[in-house]
Amino acid sequence: MILKIMYFLDEGLGFGGAAHTLLRQAVLMKNAGHEVVLSISDYKNETIAEEYFRLCAKKNIEIVRMPFVVSSQPEDIDIISVIKNYRIVRDIVKRYSPDLLHSIQINPIVELTGRELKIPHIMNIYQIQREFFSVPYTDIFPRYHICDSRYYADIWKELIHTDSICIRTAAEEPMGNRMQRSRDGNGRVRYCCVGGVCVRKNQLEVIKAFELALAKGVDGELFLYGYDMGPYAKACRHYLEQKNLGELIHMVGFCTNMEDEYEKADVLLCGSTCESYPNVISEAMAHGLVIISTPVAGVPEVIEDGYNGYLCDGYSDSAIARKILQFERERKAGRTTQILSNASDTYRKLHSSKSVRLELERYYGHVLEDFHEPPPIRIEGICERFSDMITLYNGKKDTILHPELVRLKLWYVYHIKEVLEKLATTGKRQAYIWGAGRLANTIKVMIETFFPFLQLKGFIDSYKQGELLNLPICHPDAVLRKENMVLFVGLTNGQEEILRILEEQHKIYNQDYFVLTPRTW
């Protein structure tokens, strides 16, 4: 049966791993003869990544622009944009009349559209923290879900009762078919590490691991590919300069043609600490590289240590270095050819275009057969629920210093308000804001506007003293021992460290403390 499928990607400038995965799935369906339409969001009026247009033109896939909003987690959903743009998106979808809707991340407009038009909607989404669902959110989540790891597929199924399936990422085998190239013998080995340089990709530990391996006599060069303009990348670059490693470890930056770079490489080093299943593993496997990876989420489901790659026993430099050294020993002993042969079998079974296409078509068929009356919550109910809160926001937005930040948190504020009201009835009325910086005034106004039943007692800061906005600035130690109070985290820079401290103090998220700024995770 020929299907008509509408795919919904990320917001304009985004072209990360999730977008790559869905785009590849769209291409597979197009190649199989299905009718495919690709939807890209322009609701922020940003320039849309040219990569979309290049790839879609090459595959003759139609692109349509729509003003939809997405979120990678259930807290920072722009509910005003959902309400404002719903009918625009619904009318476009209605005009195309697809059999299936398939999106990435949490896309409330597409889910609500599917409910109204009675079209099944499948969501691609990956890692999540269980704590995000510690409040009972309004049900705007899809019933059907594709993940690239069983690990996170099971978590999503548990959290929001999705019909979840694991379908691995697809990667095209290069024309030259390097799959069977041997990596045994002597000579310098070219290692690569691919992905935006950031904390969760863990490149600094990869660099330190390679440094340890070099000190043990490994003859190799390491090339790091990916966007490298942030503070973490700066720290990586500083380390290289400090240790004088620039001749053998290279930060290349963003690369527009990784296919050629994979063809030059011998080994992929993946150091990720937070990921569902890194796209780079399937890509590198398709090009016949030896895989050395940390045991993040779904990787141990695919990479078996010493069989089809090398699986580290941790995320530290020493754990990664041990596997580099093991690979080097086995390479010189002539034992990596069998590992590459096993990896080739793994690629064909899990990551080849044919295997992924068949998995997708099977799941699409299941969804169409299983689909029944969608959940009762519709756009009218959403509008009614959020009417009062949006009215409050509109009355304040011209006087708030950061109105877009507040707008992004209205969904979250609506759902935690009931929790806070219940806490207040137990005597938990005193509130403190952790963060006495540029967002302090905005967070204070948010609490006074939406939670007027709370008594705001002060700000928390580890370094500042005195008063701010007629409230005292307190040291964390003076506040954390108090009982019958709630904390609001009111900053983004340093947010992870504060959440770590609160966890160590056995504070419970969305019970003892709440985050009123965009979540970093």
Side-chain angles (χ1 to χ4, degrees):
M1 180 174 71
I2 302 301
L3 299 176
K4 186 172 187 179
I5 311 160
M6 289 193 80
Y7 292 90
F8 296 80
L9 292 177
D10 212 329
E11 295 152 14
L13 291 174
F15 196 61
H20 269 104
T21 297
L22 191 72
L23 185 53
R24 287 183 183 128
Q25 291 171 343
V27 168
L28 289 178
M29 292 300 101
K30 178 71 174 181
N31 290 343
H34 299 285
E35 191 174 346
V36 169
V37 178
L38 197 73
S39 308
I40 300 175
S41 176
D42 58 0
Y43 94 105
K44 288 183 178 178
N45 296 316
E46 293 177 334
T47 302
I48 294 174
E50 288 299 318
E51 192 76 359
Y52 288 130
F53 295 103
R54 184 182 69 81
L55 291 173
C56 290
K58 183 179 178 182
K59 297 295 183 180
N60 195 29
I61 293 175
E62 181 181 358
I63 291 180
V64 59
R65 301 186 189 212
M66 299 186 199
F68 57 82
V69 59
V70 306
S71 175
S72 62
Q73 37 79 16
E75 291 188 2
D76 298 342
I77 291 172
D78 188 345
I79 194 63
I80 289 181
S81 288
V82 171
I83 294 170
K84 176 183 176 182
N85 296 311
Y86 172 79
R87 285 174 178 78
I88 298 172
V89 174
R90 180 205 59 191
D91 290 348
I92 295 173
V93 172
K94 189 174 183 179
R95 187 167 71 245
Y96 278 90
S97 188
D99 300 300
L100 284 167
L101 307 173
H102 192 166
S103 68
I104 57 172
Q105 313 297 15
I106 296 170
N107 193 326
I109 291 182
V110 174
E111 171 60 17
L112 293 169
T113 292
R115 293 180 186 186
E116 179 177 338
L117 301 180
K118 292 184 169 53
I119 303 171
H121 172 214
I122 301 167
M123 167 179 68
N124 278 17
I125 199 163
Y126 309 106
Q127 61 262 37
I128 191 66
Q129 294 182 6
R130 292 176 186 275
E131 65 185 31
F132 285 141
F133 284 95
S134 57
V135 292
Y137 287 108
T138 301
D139 181 13
I140 47 80
F141 306 106
R143 294 282 73 83
Y144 302 103
H145 168 225
I146 293 176
C147 193
D148 55 9
S149 70
R150 290 193 298 272
Y151 179 87
Y152 278 111
D154 289 344
I155 291 175
W156 279 101
K157 184 175 183 178
E158 175 191 338
L159 291 173
I160 58 172
H161 312 296
T162 47
D163 180 321
S164 296
I165 189 173
C166 171
I167 298 178
R168 306 293 178 184
T169 53
E172 290 187 15
E173 191 173 341
M175 295 296 291
N177 193 352
R178 280 259 309 275
M179 296 287 296
Q180 299 303 324
R181 175 182 164 185
S182 174
R183 297 305 197 279
D184 290 334
N186 295 305
R188 177 164 291 183
V189 176
R190 185 176 175 120
Y191 294 75
C192 67
C193 181
V194 184
V197 183
C198 61
V199 173
R200 69 182 181 88
K201 296 289 187 180
N202 203 29
Q203 284 94 341
L204 187 54
E205 291 300 299
V206 171
I207 290 170
K208 291 178 179 179
F210 201 72
E211 179 189 16
L212 290 172
L214 291 173
K216 293 285 187 179
V218 166
D219 184 14
E221 278 188 89
L222 172 61
F223 294 80
L224 296 103
Y225 301 93
Y227 176 81
D228 60 356
M229 301 302 290
Y232 183 79
K234 184 178 179 181
C236 291
R237 198 172 288 108
H238 176 71
Y239 187 86
L240 292 177
E241 292 171 358
Q242 186 183 38
K243 293 301 189 83
N244 197 27
L245 293 168
E247 289 188 9
L248 293 176
I249 303 178
H250 315 277
M251 292 185 68
V252 181
F254 182 77
C255 179
T256 57
N257 187 5
M258 273 308 301
E259 300 296 314
D260 289 348
E261 300 306 313
Y262 284 131
E263 286 293 288
K264 299 173 188 175
D266 300 295
V267 180
L268 173 77
L269 291 180
C270 177
S272 291
T273 61
C274 178
E275 203 146 3
S276 177
Y277 183 83
N279 269 331
V280 295
I281 289 181
S282 57
E283 293 168 356
M285 197 178 284
H287 286 265
L289 276 67
V290 174
I291 308 299
I292 299 176
S293 178
T294 51
V296 62
V299 171
E301 299 166 5
V302 176
I303 301 300
E304 185 179 340
D305 187 40
Y307 174 75
N308 57 0
Y310 296 90
L311 192 65
C312 306
D313 60 8
Y315 302 88
S316 67
D317 55 354
S318 58
I320 299 168
R322 281 195 293 272
K323 289 303 169 182
I324 296 174
L325 293 171
Q326 181 183 342
F327 159 70
E328 285 289 345
R329 289 193 300 271
E330 297 188 358
R331 179 179 72 88
K332 290 176 181 177
R335 293 199 292 266
T336 58
T337 298
Q338 184 59 51
I339 286 177
L340 283 169
S341 177
N342 295 337
S344 177
D345 292 340
T346 301
Y347 164 79
R348 281 190 289 270
K349 180 181 178 182
L350 298 180
H351 296 301
S352 67
S353 295
K354 180 180 178 181
S355 66
V356 175
R357 175 180 60 79
L358 290 174
E359 287 290 315
L360 273 174
E361 289 185 318
R362 275 194 288 268
Y363 191 61
Y364 286 163
H366 160 73
V367 169
L368 288 168
E369 184 177 339
D370 180 75
F371 184 68
H372 50 272
E373 186 65 27
I377 296 172
R378 301 289 195 273
I379 190 64
E380 295 80 11
I382 296 294
C383 293
E384 183 178 345
R385 289 183 186 212
F386 286 88
S387 174
D388 291 345
M389 183 159 286
I390 292 173
T391 299
L392 270 176
Y393 167 76
N394 286 334
K396 288 277 188 178
K397 68 179 180 180
D398 291 336
T399 58
I400 297 174
L401 293 178
H402 303 90
E404 288 303 311
L405 181 150
V406 179
R407 171 176 168 152
L408 191 63
K409 299 303 294 192
L410 289 179
W411 166 268
Y412 177 68
V413 165
Y414 173 87
H415 289 98
I416 65 171
K417 184 174 183 179
E418 183 177 350
V419 176
L420 288 163
E421 285 174 335
K422 289 180 180 178
L423 291 174
T425 63
T426 68
K428 222 171 184 179
R429 293 179 177 274
Q430 295 187 357
Y432 288 83
I433 299 170
W434 197 324
R438 67 182 185 88
L439 300 179
N441 185 68
T442 297
I443 304 304
K444 179 175 181 287
V445 172
M446 285 178 71
I447 295 169
E448 291 171 341
T449 302
F450 301 117
F451 314 128
F453 47 86
L454 295 178
Q455 301 167 2
L456 197 50
K457 305 299 288 187
F459 294 90
I460 302 173
D461 194 283
S462 298
Y463 306 102
K464 295 180 181 179
Q465 298 178 345
E467 283 194 355
L468 177 65
L469 303 173
N470 298 317
L471 290 171
I473 301 176
C474 310
H475 191 274
D477 293 342
V479 177
L480 291 178
R481 67 173 69 102
K482 291 178 180 288
E483 296 182 0
N484 292 326
M485 59 91 183
V486 292
L487 297 177
F488 292 97
V489 177
L491 45 71
T492 50
N493 293 333
Q495 185 185 109
E496 291 181 9
E497 175 64 14
I498 289 172
L499 298 186
R500 183 189 64 78
I501 293 171
L502 290 170
E503 185 176 344
E504 289 176 353
Q505 293 289 321
H506 306 292
K507 302 297 184 184
I508 301 173
Y509 185 54
N510 287 332
Q511 195 70 30
D512 299 315
Y513 68 97
F514 304 81
V515 178
L516 291 184
T517 48
R519 280 301 305 264
T520 58
W521 60 294

